Amino acid sequence: MISGFFIFNQKGEVLISRLYRTDLKRSIADVFRIQVVSNSDVRSPIITLGSTSFFHVRVNNLYIVAVTKCNANAALVFEFCYRFISIAKSYFGKVDEEAIKNNFVLIYELIDEIIDFGYPQNSEADTLKTYITTESVVSSSIAAEDSSKITTQATGSTSWRRGDVKYKKNEAFVDVVETVNLSMSAKGTILRADVDGHILMRAYLSGTPECKFGLNDKLVIDKNERGGGDAVELDDCRFHQCVRLDEFDSTRTISFIPPDGEFELMKYRSTTNIKLPLRVIPTVNEIGTTQVSYIVTVKTNFSNKLSATNVIVRIPTPLNTTSVDCKVMLGKAKYVPAENVVVWKIPRIQGGQEVTFSGTAKLTSTTHRQVWARPPIDVDFQVLMFTASGLIVRFLKVFEKSNYHSVKWVRYLTKASGTYQIRF
């Protein structure tokens, strides 16, 4: 698969370097430095020069780079890069240049354990922590019993979990987090509306529990089978490797032995039957060449028992704006000249509520009048206990041979950050 793995800083200096095959030389790092790090025009995360392909991921001004000479599976290479970042975070927190320099011995141990001859092997942080310590020192006196545990875990059917995990209080937390993407035309036509969803789980459960997890009865994943008007349709789903999907097609339930701690149970996308939490109605009129009047109304489309929090509405203004007279009944609105926008911050909007911003922008006269491009209004928000796709968790059950009592929590969060845009 990959022939070499490198970590560069933003200057192009090599911090970590490991070659797995003989088809590369260390001088290949200079090629990446010249062609990618020193070239500000590079946009693609994959660069192919001759027969050599460079896959890179940027994190905190670092370049995580995998190099290959063969026609490797790009998705698999990037999955390895992101998995390495995740493992590094679980070991020493923030992944930046200082952390890499302070933990370079540990990092070499990790990449030698994760990859063998260019092929990913074991990338479960929980398993790695049993025999690679945070002090970057592998104990030479590991007991035979511990060694057998490691071998069983690394090669057994549940390599992602140890069997001797114990907690005084057994709890499982499930977070259904959805990001809404909206693009609406000036006439109110929806150009794009979709949801990127993640089901995150934190499992603090003793032993080796079996979990059963049920989703909506009317859940359509195959686009060929159409659901009714109230069906939840998912375009694609991806599950954690611990999930068994034997009963998913018939009962929409999944069973799994969860890893210890936090992990992503499922990732999905939906493009139909999207429930938009906020509706924005803008009325913007240009009065001659000296003024622009604004009336922007925000309506909530959910139950009055719920509320949208941290709502930020960014309303664009012409480039030659000198000042904006803002009037709001709820929240605070302020003109930000550096960004050419009015930022309207609303701490909380209750379901069924309607709030309005009205204002007048004063413009300076210019010699050459340019047509205002009218960038879209951008809305950020968070709504707890609401899902735009309609996905719900019907039940979460935990079975363990000791039959202990466990506490389960399910939380829903729908949010938008820079992806909810309305043109005017």
Side-chain angles (χ1 to χ4, degrees):
M1 189 175 122
I2 70 171
S3 300
F5 178 78
F6 299 89
I7 299 179
F8 294 82
N9 64 11
Q10 61 182 346
K11 297 176 184 176
E13 297 168 345
V14 179
L15 304 179
I16 298 290
S17 166
R18 177 66 83 218
L19 299 182
Y20 294 103
R21 301 187 182 184
T22 56
D23 56 357
L24 281 185
K25 295 182 179 178
R26 294 204 182 274
S27 58
I28 201 72
D30 298 328
V31 177
F32 182 82
R33 181 189 302 114
I34 295 165
Q35 297 293 334
V36 178
V37 179
S38 303
N39 188 354
S40 59
D41 295 332
V42 172
R43 292 285 182 267
S44 172
I46 305 176
I47 304 294
T48 302
L49 301 169
S51 61
T52 307
S53 296
F54 298 88
F55 301 79
H56 73 274
V57 174
R58 294 210 58 179
V59 53
N60 294 331
N61 292 324
L62 294 177
Y63 292 86
I64 312 296
V65 184
V67 188
T68 181
K69 283 272 190 180
C70 62
N71 185 18
N73 183 332
L76 187 59
V77 177
F78 283 119
E79 178 64 26
F80 159 71
C81 292
Y82 283 111
R83 190 66 68 92
F84 169 78
I85 294 168
S86 174
I87 292 168
K89 284 180 179 177
S90 72
Y91 266 93
F92 45 82
K94 189 177 181 183
V95 180
D96 56 13
E97 186 174 348
E98 184 182 0
I100 297 295
K101 288 178 177 177
N102 291 340
N103 296 280
F104 75 95
V105 174
L106 169 63
I107 291 169
Y108 275 112
E109 288 185 11
L110 286 171
I111 60 178
D112 286 345
E113 194 63 47
I114 295 168
I115 288 202
D116 187 15
F117 194 61
Y119 291 100
Q121 302 296 313
N122 187 2
S123 59
E124 288 295 329
D126 192 40
T127 307
L128 293 168
K129 283 183 179 179
T130 59
Y131 52 95
I132 297 181
T133 63
T134 29
E135 291 79 22
S136 310
V137 177
V138 178
S139 174
S140 57
S141 58
I142 297 179
E145 183 184 352
D146 292 341
S147 298
S148 65
K149 281 183 185 178
I150 291 167
T151 306
T152 304
Q153 189 182 352
T155 60
S157 58
T158 55
S159 62
W160 53 86
R161 184 181 181 89
R162 303 195 315 271
D164 56 353
V165 179
K166 289 184 181 178
Y167 287 99
K168 287 184 179 179
K169 188 176 181 181
N170 294 286
E171 295 179 301
F173 301 88
V174 175
D175 288 334
V176 181
V177 182
E178 294 190 343
T179 302
V180 187
N181 305 306
L182 172 70
S183 181
M184 185 176 282
S185 73
K187 295 179 180 178
T189 308
I190 295 175
L191 305 174
R192 173 200 177 192
D194 58 70
V195 167
D196 293 320
H198 303 261
I199 298 182
L200 308 172
M201 187 169 180
R202 285 174 291 154
Y204 306 117
L205 301 168
S206 304
T208 311
E210 174 89 17
C211 296
K212 278 205 168 183
F213 186 88
L215 299 171
N216 307 53
D217 289 322
K218 293 183 178 180
L219 186 67
V220 178
I221 292 180
D222 186 357
K223 279 200 162 186
N224 296 324
E225 44 167 307
R226 305 306 296 178
D230 58 344
V232 176
E233 299 185 19
L234 305 182
D235 287 1
D236 55 78
C237 294
R238 286 201 299 159
F239 296 94
H240 189 275
Q241 63 175 342
C242 69
V243 171
R244 294 193 296 275
L245 298 172
D246 307 339
E247 303 173 14
F248 187 68
D249 289 335
S250 57
T251 63
R252 291 306 185 226
T253 61
I254 57 178
S255 57
F256 57 96
I257 296 172
D260 184 39
E262 187 172 344
F263 66 101
E264 185 179 74
L265 180 65
M266 176 181 169
K267 187 184 288 186
Y268 61 91
R269 193 164 176 272
S270 179
T271 57
T272 51
N273 297 339
I274 305 298
K275 302 170 189 171
L276 298 174
L278 296 182
R279 188 177 171 213
V280 180
I281 307 167
T283 305
V284 181
N285 296 311
E286 296 182 46
I287 306 168
T289 59
T290 58
Q291 287 186 338
V292 177
S293 68
Y294 294 88
I295 298 176
V296 180
T297 302
V298 178
K299 294 182 179 180
T300 55
N301 289 337
F302 45 82
S303 163
N304 57 10
K305 294 179 181 178
L306 307 177
S307 60
T309 57
N310 300 325
V311 181
I312 301 175
V313 185
R314 292 181 178 84
I315 305 166
T317 61
L319 296 176
N320 58 330
T321 302
T322 55
S323 63
V324 181
D325 180 26
C326 305
K327 294 178 183 176
V328 290
M329 295 296 289
L330 187 65
K332 293 181 180 179
K334 182 182 179 182
Y335 172 54
V336 182
E339 300 176 23
N340 286 303
V341 292
V342 173
V343 178
W344 179 19
K345 294 183 178 180
I346 311 166
R348 179 185 296 271
I349 308 177
Q350 206 65 28
Q353 194 175 0
E354 180 180 312
V355 293
T356 302
F357 163 87
S358 59
T360 304
K362 295 180 181 177
L363 315 178
T364 57
S365 56
T366 55
T367 311
H368 302 288
R369 186 169 179 265
Q370 292 182 338
V371 178
W372 183 27
R374 294 199 175 204
I377 293 172
D378 191 72
V379 187
D380 296 351
F381 60 84
Q382 293 183 351
V383 185
L384 274 171
M385 306 313 290
F386 174 89
T387 56
S389 67
L391 189 81
I392 59 167
V393 177
R394 286 189 291 126
F395 62 83
L396 173 62
K397 297 177 181 177
V398 178
F399 305 96
E400 216 274 335
K401 57 187 177 185
S402 62
N403 205 24
Y404 56 67
H405 173 70
S406 59
V407 181
K408 283 88 68 178
W409 306 87
V410 179
R411 184 177 66 163
Y412 303 93
L413 173 66
T414 294
K415 61 179 182 176
S417 180
T419 58
Y420 205 88
Q421 297 183 334
I422 299 93
R423 298 192 174 276
F424 56 88

